Amino acid sequence: MPREPTPTDSGTDSTATDQALADELGMDIGHESLDTDDLQALVAQLDDEVSPPVSSVLGLLVETIDDLQERVEALEGDLEQTHDVATTAVGNAATNEQRLDEVEDQQEATHDVAKSAIAKAQQLEADPGQQEDAEGLPDGIEPSSSPLDFFANCRQSKVKTMFVERSNRQNTYRAITIAKRWPEFATKRTDGSGVFMTKADLETALTAELGKEPHRQTIKRVWEKLVEIGGDDIVEKTRQVGREQTQTEILAMDMGTAEGLLEKRYVGLDLLESSDHKAATGGVTPVVVESSP
C-alpha cells in the first residue's frame, strides 16, 4: 500500500526524487518552458514499456501542455497589442489637449480683436457730453479714475459674470483680479509712494489665480489688458537698478491708486446692472472718469 508522508519528508527529498526520475527518463525539468515535440517523442518511446492507460494519460497530458502554451502565447500577444494601443491613446490625448489649448488661444485672440473693433466704433459715435453724470453718485462716493478702478470696486461676482460668463473676456477679468492682488505680488517702492509689477510678478500672480502655469500668450494679453483698462492709473515703463543690470518692463501705480482698488466703494450700488452692454462690448464705463487738467 502507498506510504503516507511523514513529518520527516522534506521538499529537498521530493525534489531529488523528481530529478532522479527525470534523469532516468531522459527529461530536463529545469526549463521554464517544455518542448512538447520532445515530450511526444518520449511518450512514443515508452509506448511499449507502459500500459495503454498510462500511455493514454501521458498523451493527454502532452496535448494539454501544448494547448496551454499556445494559450499563453496568444495572451502575451494580446497584452502587447493592448499596451501598444494604450500608449498610442495616451500620446493622442496629449496631442489633442495641446491642439485644444492652441485653438482656445486663437479663438480668444479673434474674439478680443472683434470686441476691440466694436468698442472703438461705439466710442467714435458716442458723445462725451452724454455720458452718465458722476454727480449721481451718493455723497462721499468718489467717481472712478479708470475702467480698472471702476470694475475693481464693483461686486466681483457680477464682474466675473459679465466678463467670463456673458462676454468671454477672461483676460480682462484676470487683469482686474490680478490688479487687486497687488499686496501679494507687487513690489512696494522704498519711499512708499507706489507699487510696481514686473512680468515675472504677473506670471506668479496668474499661476496663483489659475492654479497652473499660464501660457506666454496669456501673460502677454493680461499685461496688455492692464495697460488698456488702467488708463492713467497704470504707467508702463522700464526700471533699471544699476548700470550693469538690464532694463525691466514694469507696470506702476501710485499708492493712492493701488489702495483705491481695494475700497469696494461701488459694491452696494449695483452700477453694473445698467451698464452690462457697455462693459461687455468694451465701451465707456458707467461712471464718469474725471479728466485730468
Side-chain angles (χ1 to χ4, degrees):
M1 72 182 287
R3 183 178 68 87
E4 294 292 335
T6 66
T8 58
D9 288 335
S10 66
T12 302
D13 294 338
S14 176
T15 302
T17 302
D18 293 343
Q19 185 62 51
L21 178 60
D23 293 341
E24 182 68 23
L25 297 177
M27 298 173 59
D28 183 2
I29 63 174
H31 292 169
E32 295 182 0
S33 61
L34 297 176
D35 189 334
T36 53
D37 291 338
D38 292 344
L39 289 175
Q40 190 66 50
L42 178 61
V43 170
Q45 293 176 5
L46 296 175
D47 191 35
D48 296 335
E49 302 178 14
V50 299
S51 61
V54 174
S55 177
S56 177
V57 169
L58 290 175
L60 181 60
L61 287 175
V62 171
E63 292 178 1
T64 301
I65 292 172
D66 194 23
D67 291 341
L68 289 175
Q69 287 185 343
E70 291 181 358
R71 179 59 175 163
V72 168
E73 292 174 358
L75 290 174
E76 289 176 345
D78 291 343
L79 179 60
E80 184 176 355
Q81 183 178 6
T82 301
H83 181 270
D84 291 342
V85 171
T87 301
T88 302
V90 171
N92 290 340
T95 301
N96 291 337
E97 183 177 359
Q98 182 179 0
R99 289 177 178 173
L100 179 59
D101 289 341
E102 293 173 355
V103 170
E104 288 178 347
D105 285 345
Q106 293 172 358
Q107 189 272 342
E108 186 174 351
T110 302
H111 192 275
D112 286 347
V113 169
K115 290 297 184 183
S116 178
I118 294 173
K120 290 179 180 178
Q122 290 181 339
Q123 289 171 348
L124 288 174
E125 295 175 359
D127 181 359
Q130 299 299 317
Q131 295 182 27
E132 295 183 33
D133 194 346
E135 294 179 358
L137 291 172
D139 291 340
I141 302 298
E142 295 293 328
S144 64
S145 55
S146 67
L148 172 62
D149 181 51
F150 173 74
F151 290 115
N153 280 280
C154 291
R155 191 178 301 279
Q156 291 307 289
S157 60
K158 292 186 177 181
V159 174
K160 183 175 183 180
T161 297
M162 177 181 298
F163 286 110
V164 178
E165 299 176 11
R166 295 183 184 176
S167 60
N168 194 28
R169 297 178 66 196
Q170 288 90 338
N171 285 331
T172 301
Y173 176 73
R174 290 166 183 164
I176 297 168
T177 303
I178 295 304
K180 291 183 63 176
R181 298 184 68 172
W182 64 262
E184 301 173 70
F185 303 105
T187 301
K188 291 185 179 180
R189 295 193 180 278
T190 54
D191 60 1
S193 62
V195 299
F196 63 87
M197 184 177 292
T198 66
K199 286 189 176 179
D201 296 331
L202 180 62
E203 180 177 0
T204 302
L206 280 170
T207 300
E209 184 71 21
L210 302 176
K212 61 180 180 180
E213 292 187 5
H215 294 163
R216 285 180 297 177
Q217 283 296 320
T218 300
I219 298 172
K220 177 177 180 293
R221 290 169 187 165
V222 173
W223 181 278
E224 292 171 348
K225 286 297 178 183
L226 281 168
V227 174
E228 177 185 337
I229 66 178
D232 294 335
D233 287 345
I234 290 185
V235 180
E236 186 178 24
K237 58 174 67 174
T238 57
R239 178 175 184 265
Q240 187 174 14
V241 176
R243 294 182 177 179
E244 297 182 356
Q245 187 185 48
T246 58
Q247 292 185 340
T248 302
E249 291 181 293
I250 63 171
L251 296 179
M253 294 186 291
D254 62 52
M255 187 57 71
T257 298
E259 292 176 344
L261 300 179
L262 309 178
E263 291 177 350
K264 301 182 180 180
R265 58 185 182 274
Y266 306 141
V267 168
L269 301 181
D270 291 330
L271 295 176
L272 294 180
E273 297 299 328
S274 60
S275 59
D276 195 336
H277 176 68
K278 290 181 181 179
T281 56
V284 295
T285 60
V287 177
V288 171
V289 175
E290 292 181 326
S291 60
S292 57

